[in-house]
Amino acid sequence: MPSATPADARAGIPDGSASDLWVFSFDGVLRAQEAMLAVSRLTSRRHLDLEDAAIVTLRRGRVRLLQTRDMNPSQGAVGGAWLGTIAGLFAGLPLVGAALGAAAGGMYARLRDFGIDDSEMKAFGRTLEGERAALFLLVRDCHRMRALHEVSRFPARLERSSADPALVAEVRARLAVDPWDG
């Protein structure tokens, strides 16, 4: 799939972000997870400044997002319940505080969305065929040579990028080719 046209190249990127969006697809979720591990290693070594990342899969007709920064409503409810219980202890109503905290935490998590736009990832996820999985990366900055070296290790397709076209072409040229992919 060719890179996005200039009009939609920034689709999915949060307003005010200067980061570039990279979307890679892999032959399965395991490859996407391996690539995510490599991204994590680059980030921990400060060779990559990552704003957000997510793995997108399509299983039984349902798009699933595994994000690095977002909190789902159940996580928000648990955190809110703990905070509500503590606040409720001071008011003498720990159960009421827990219930109110869980509701508030769940709503907060549902309304809050950092990083890559979920609707863009879900729309792309619905186009995945077979066992393919996608890795979305919102990259602020990177050590170019180290990132290109990591890219060369993984058989993937670059589906979309908002980065400079010359860099996009260089990344495409470096992507590994799977000899068994017919």
Side-chain angles (χ1 to χ4, degrees):
M1 176 186 270
S3 65
T5 62
D8 65 354
R10 304 249 345 136
I13 300 173
D15 292 335
S17 175
S19 299
D20 286 315
L21 180 65
W22 294 86
V23 180
F24 296 92
S25 68
F26 299 86
D27 62 359
V29 70
L30 186 58
R31 289 256 199 213
Q33 290 170 340
E34 289 172 354
M36 185 63 193
L37 185 61
V39 165
S40 297
R41 187 174 44 251
L42 284 173
T43 301
S44 70
R45 293 180 179 167
R46 301 190 192 282
H47 299 306
L48 184 68
D49 186 7
L50 196 63
E51 187 174 334
D52 193 15
I55 295 175
V56 179
T57 58
L58 179 64
R59 296 283 179 256
R60 296 184 199 117
R62 186 169 174 220
V63 176
R64 300 183 191 269
L65 306 178
L66 176 63
Q67 294 181 279
T68 59
R69 289 196 54 201
D70 277 349
M71 163 183 2
N72 67 38
S74 62
Q75 290 170 322
V78 169
W82 279 106
L83 291 174
T85 301
I86 292 168
L89 283 172
F90 290 113
L93 301 167
L95 293 178
V96 172
L100 291 174
M107 286 304 295
Y108 173 74
R110 182 176 291 278
L111 296 173
R112 174 187 146 245
D113 185 24
F114 293 117
I116 306 164
D117 182 32
D118 290 358
S119 61
E120 286 289 326
M121 290 188 286
K122 287 179 181 178
F124 183 85
R126 286 188 283 278
T127 69
L128 292 172
E129 297 174 354
E131 296 294 312
R132 293 197 72 79
L135 176 62
F136 280 69
L137 301 172
L138 196 54
V139 178
R140 286 185 194 107
D141 193 21
C142 72
H143 185 283
R144 191 173 180 145
M145 292 312 297
R146 291 185 192 269
L148 287 172
H149 172 72
E150 284 299 318
V151 161
S152 70
R153 296 181 41 227
F154 295 97
R157 281 188 281 194
L158 177 57
E159 302 288 351
R160 183 173 137 200
S161 179
S162 63
D164 175 58
L167 179 58
V168 171
E170 192 172 0
V171 168
R172 277 205 171 98
R174 289 280 188 109
L175 284 171
V177 176
D178 188 346
W180 308 111
D181 192 18

